């Protein structure tokens, strides 16, 4: 790293440009450092790629362990410091938010593009020529995906299930993927809705509840909402049919005065009157609920023991300290309204569900609200022997839900197993000579980079990468073999569409765009100016960080 804080005028007078402690790296050295950072991240991630990929154990500063092979989670938990490496974290997050899956594809492809660009830089090809070639290649890649993608209907649950199974196939829960894919497909098709001529899927409608114990195959789908709380009083009913549900964001307790007050009592009857008045207030609150016809109360705040007693006497099932998010989901599901002031509660504010029941799940009790007014309210209750298994199952299910939602929204799918990548590379090699010049080399490098993904898939599966790549290239020369990729079961090239390895076209599209954009951004950088860190108190440090970000 070269420090450049001083320059000189022609007269030899020194001019201070950067603050003391700042550093500047420029030219080929800046590019070399950025490329090295991206290659290092890609090397760490490549062994997790594909259905035979390995997992990573990530330990944070507090000693908490995460075991996963989910690309976005690995990138997030690795706590990368280098600015170029942080760019890859942003790619992973963007891909995860946009399409829920394909994060490793985007990051590893970016790494492959950078490696091929480095080879071209050694041949004295200017970065802007490489960028221009990469942009042209990206356009051909996107057009190829759009051209070969097959349309799929929202009613084609067989294909949707295959998409979910493909997503789950590379995760730690692959052993139970058939069962989980079935749940995922049912859940997403249940919440999908047609708006105009477009399908829309709001995955927030699908509640995910985790409870360790049992096995992954004990994971279940509930047509309703699961509240991770138990009924507050043993005298209350544990099952209520045709439930009229009051959703309260108010406490069923005697409110404490905001100001500190002192009450002097010098007679036992005064004390009794005081307690009687408290009881009367609570009874009035309960009567208010009873008068609306409610037989279930779900409260975000506390419920006093006296109020619990009165509710139990009236045969009302009550739950206290429910999460705000659960209350909002219940309001959406049951058609009820969350009430902050008990005085405003009316019969019209109550939600409806066919059944509210307390059930034992593992060691704990949970309240299940089923047969809700809104059929789009779905919950997935995830089970697993270990907490880590439950966490990884949740990550896998979120990815699978996202991929099925992508297919419903976009309506197009492609085969997996490297079939799309080989097809893109074939078309790029035919296109490159038409462009000619040095850009032709960049386009061919792009083709080699995208084939690099297939080679990594083969390596991770213990197959011969070069042998399989040559076979696939040969097969793809025939237009009818566009869906041929790597079948890991038979350890040879196969028609991946017939095998049932199907992915959303949207995931491939987004991964290609994200990786290309990131690499073109990196290749354009020829100067890194890092501000010096300020020493001193907390405020100074904070100021230094802010200054660094502004630079």
């Amino acid at each position: 790293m070269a420090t450049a804080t001083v320059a000189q005028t022609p007269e030899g007078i020194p001019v201070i440009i950067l603050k003391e402690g700042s550093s500047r790296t420029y030219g080929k050295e800046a590019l070399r450092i950025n490329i090295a950072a991206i290659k290092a991240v890609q090397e760490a991630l490549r062994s997790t790629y594909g259905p035979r990929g390995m997992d990573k154990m990530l330990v944070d500063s507090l000693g908490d362990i995460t075991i996963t092979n989910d690309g976005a989670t690995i990138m997030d938990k690795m706590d990368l410091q280098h600015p170029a490496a942080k760019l890859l974290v942003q790619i992973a997050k963007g891909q995860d938010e946009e399409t829920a899956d394909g994060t490793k594809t985007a990051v590893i492809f970016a790494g492959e593009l950078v490696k091929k660009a480095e080879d071209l830089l050694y041949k004295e090809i200017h970065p802007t020529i490489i960028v221009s070639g990469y942009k042209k290649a990206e356009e051909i890649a996107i057009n190829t995906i759009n051209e070969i993608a097959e349309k799929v209907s929202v009613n084609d649950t067989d294909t949707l299930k295959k998409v979910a199974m493909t997503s789950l196939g590379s995760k730690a829960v692959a052993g139970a993927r058939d069962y989980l894919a079935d749940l995922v497909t049912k859940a997403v098709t249940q919440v999908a809705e047609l708006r105009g001529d477009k399908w829309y899927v709001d995955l927030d409608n699908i509640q995910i509840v985790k409870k360790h114990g049992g096995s992954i195959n004990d994971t279940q789908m509930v047509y309703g909402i699961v509240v991770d709380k138990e009924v507050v009083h043993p005298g209350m009913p544990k099952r209520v049919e045709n439930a009229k549900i009051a959703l309260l964001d108010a406490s069923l307790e005697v409110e404490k005065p905001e100001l500190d007050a002192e009450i002097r009592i010098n007679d036992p009857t005064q004390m009794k009157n005081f307690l009687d008045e408290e009881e009367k207030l609570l009874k009035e609150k309960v009567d208010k609920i009873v008068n609306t016809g409610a037989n279930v109360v779900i409260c975000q705040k506390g419920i006093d023991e006296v109020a619990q007693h009165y509710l139990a006497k009236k045969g009302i099932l009550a739950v206290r300290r429910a999460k705000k998010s659960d209350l909002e989901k219940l309001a959406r599901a049951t058609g009820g309204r969350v009430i902050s002031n008990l005085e405003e509660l009316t019969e019209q504010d109550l939600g409806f569900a066919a059944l509210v029941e307390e059930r034992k799940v593992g060691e704990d009790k949970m309240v299940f609200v089923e047969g809700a007014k809104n059929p789009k309210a779905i919950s997935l209750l995830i089970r697993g022997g270990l907490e880590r298994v439950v966490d990884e199952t949740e990550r896998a299910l979120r990815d699978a839900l996202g991929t099925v939602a992508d297919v419903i929204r976009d309506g197009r799918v492609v085969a997996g197993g490297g079939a799309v990548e080989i097809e893109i590379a074939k078309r790029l090699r035919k296109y490159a000579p038409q462009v000619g010049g040095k850009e032709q080399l960049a386009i061919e490098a792009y083709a080699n980079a995208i084939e690099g993904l297939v080679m990594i898939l083969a390596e991770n599966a213990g197959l011969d990468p070069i042998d399989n790549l040559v076979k696939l290239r040969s097969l793809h020369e025939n237009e009818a073999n566009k869906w041929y990729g790597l079948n890991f079961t038979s350890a040879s090239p196969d028609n991946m569409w017939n095998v049932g390895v199907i992915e959303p076209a949207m995931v491939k599209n987004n991964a290609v765009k994200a990786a290309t954009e990131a690499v073109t951004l990196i290749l354009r950088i020829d100067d890194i100016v890092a501000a010096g860190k300020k020493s001193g108190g907390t405020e100074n440090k904070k100021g230094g960080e802010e200054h660094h970000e502004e630079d």
Side-chain angles (χ1 to χ4, degrees), residues 239-306:
R239 177 187 171 95
V240 175
E241 291 180 12
N242 296 325
K244 291 179 179 176
I245 307 165
L247 303 169
L248 304 179
D249 183 17
S251 65
L252 290 177
E253 296 172 323
V254 175
E255 291 171 25
K256 294 185 175 101
E258 284 183 23
L259 300 169
D260 287 340
E262 189 178 304
I263 301 171
R264 294 183 183 276
I265 294 173
N266 47 26
D267 186 338
T269 55
Q270 285 179 317
M271 185 66 183
K272 187 177 183 304
N273 291 341
F274 183 76
L275 294 171
D276 286 350
E277 191 60 35
E278 254 192 12
E279 203 171 305
K280 186 183 160 201
L281 283 169
L282 289 167
K283 190 172 186 301
E284 282 173 5
K285 286 188 175 189
V286 172
D287 286 344
K288 176 74 183 156
I289 293 166
V290 172
N291 291 340
T292 61
N295 51 13
V296 173
V297 173
I298 295 175
C299 186
Q300 194 183 324
K301 294 177 180 164
I303 301 177
D304 191 278
E305 287 179 9
V306 176

Side-chain angles (χ1 to χ4, degrees), residues 95-106:
Q95 179 78 12
D96 196 47
E97 285 165 13
E98 195 69 27
T99 62
D101 206 5
T103 47
K104 282 176 289 191
T105 305

Side-chain angles (χ1 to χ4, degrees), residues 245-248 331 334-339 344-346 348-351:
I245 307 165
L247 303 169
L248 304 179
T334 63
R337 198 164 72 93
V338 180
I339 299 296
E344 294 173 6
L345 184 67
T346 64
Q348 285 72 42
D349 299 321
L350 302 180

Side-chain angles (χ1 to χ4, degrees), residues 127-410:
T128 52
I129 293 171
I130 301 171
V131 167
S132 176
Y134 275 8
K135 282 287 181 190
K136 285 177 180 172
E138 179 198 7
E139 202 176 318
I140 296 295
I142 298 297
N143 289 344
T144 303
I145 294 166
N146 292 338
E147 189 184 315
I148 66 174
E150 305 271 356
K151 289 210 176 305
V152 63
S153 155
V154 69
N155 301 317
D156 187 357
T157 50
D158 188 45
T159 304
L160 294 178
K161 187 180 174 182
K162 283 175 184 172
V163 169
M165 283 180 75
T166 303
S167 175
L168 293 165
S170 61
K171 306 289 191 283
V173 297
R177 66 181 183 152
D178 191 46
Y179 174 67
L180 294 177
D182 209 33
L183 294 184
V184 164
T185 310
K186 283 179 184 170
V188 178
T189 48
Q190 185 73 22
V191 300
E193 55 185 294
L194 190 62
R195 293 184 181 175
D197 59 345
K198 285 266 188 188
W199 281 94
Y200 179 78
V201 180
D202 183 3
L203 290 178
D204 287 342
N205 281 333
I206 301 171
Q207 180 198 26
I208 293 181
V209 184
K210 300 183 290 183
K211 187 61 70 177
H212 71 270
S215 75
I216 295 171
N217 284 318
D218 292 325
T219 299
Q220 57 178 288
M221 186 169 87
V222 179
Y223 286 92
I225 304 293
V226 179
V227 183
D228 193 0
K229 297 285 174 188
E230 58 184 281
V231 175
V232 292
H233 193 278
M236 288 176 178
K238 299 291 185 281
R239 177 187 171 95
V240 175
E241 291 180 12
N242 296 325
K244 291 179 179 176
I245 307 165
L247 303 169
L248 304 179
D249 183 17
S251 65
L252 290 177
E253 296 172 323
V254 175
E255 291 171 25
K256 294 185 175 101
E258 284 183 23
L259 300 169
D260 287 340
E262 189 178 304
I263 301 171
R264 294 183 183 276
I265 294 173
N266 47 26
D267 186 338
T269 55
Q270 285 179 317
M271 185 66 183
K272 187 177 183 304
N273 291 341
F274 183 76
L275 294 171
D276 286 350
E277 191 60 35
E278 254 192 12
E279 203 171 305
K280 186 183 160 201
L281 283 169
L282 289 167
K283 190 172 186 301
E284 282 173 5
K285 286 188 175 189
V286 172
D287 286 344
K288 176 74 183 156
I289 293 166
V290 172
N291 291 340
T292 61
N295 51 13
V296 173
V297 173
I298 295 175
C299 186
Q300 194 183 324
K301 294 177 180 164
I303 301 177
D304 191 278
E305 287 179 9
V306 176
Q308 289 175 28
H309 167 72
Y310 282 121
L311 287 165
K313 271 178 76 176
K314 298 288 183 183
I316 293 174
L317 183 154
V319 174
R320 65 175 166 183
R321 309 216 181 278
K323 287 187 213 160
K324 187 180 181 183
S325 59
D326 284 354
L327 225 61
E328 286 166 1
K329 284 188 174 77
L330 281 162
R332 204 161 47 207
T334 63
R337 198 164 72 93
V338 180
I339 299 296
S340 299
N341 183 358
L342 205 58
E343 295 301 315
E344 294 173 6
L345 184 67
T346 64
E347 195 177 342
Q348 285 72 42
D349 299 321
L350 302 180
F352 175 81
L355 176 68
V356 176
E357 184 179 24
E358 180 188 81
R359 293 175 200 159
K360 196 161 186 190
V361 179
E363 292 298 306
D364 303 316
K365 290 173 183 170
M366 293 172 136
V367 173
F368 288 69
V369 180
E370 293 182 343
K373 209 172 187 179
N374 181 0
K376 296 197 185 307
I378 298 287
S379 296
L380 289 171
L381 176 60
I382 300 172
R383 308 300 309 282
L386 284 170
E387 208 163 319
R388 313 253 176 267
V389 172
V390 175
D391 289 342
E392 184 63 358
T393 306
E394 184 200 8
R395 284 189 281 270
L397 281 179
R398 285 194 189 279
D399 281 5
L401 289 164
T403 53
V404 176
D406 290 340
V407 173
I408 289 174
R409 282 192 286 247
D410 185 49

Side-chain angles (χ1 to χ4, degrees), residues 409-420:
R409 282 192 286 247
D410 185 49
R412 295 173 308 148
V413 290
V414 292
V420 176

Side-chain angles (χ1 to χ4, degrees), residues 34 37-39 41-42 45 70-76 80 82-114 134-135 138 399 446 453 506-523 525:
N34 282 341
I38 286 187
K39 279 163 68 179
V41 176
Q42 194 239 30
L45 208 63
D70 179 65
T73 308
I74 294 169
M75 296 297 288
D76 186 42
L80 299 166
H82 194 280
K86 283 181 176 175
L87 189 69
L88 289 186
V89 178
Q90 288 172 354
I91 292 181
K93 279 187 179 167
Q95 179 78 12
D96 196 47
E97 285 165 13
E98 195 69 27
T99 62
D101 206 5
T103 47
K104 282 176 289 191
T105 305
V107 174
I108 293 169
F109 182 39
E112 288 295 310
L113 285 172
V114 157
Y134 275 8
K135 282 287 181 190
E138 179 198 7
D399 281 5
Y446 197 100
L453 290 169
M506 194 173 163
V507 170
K508 293 284 184 198
N509 260 332
N510 212 70
V512 167
K513 286 177 189 170
T516 311
E517 280 171 16
V519 172
T520 53
L521 198 63
I522 289 292
L523 291 175
I525 296 167

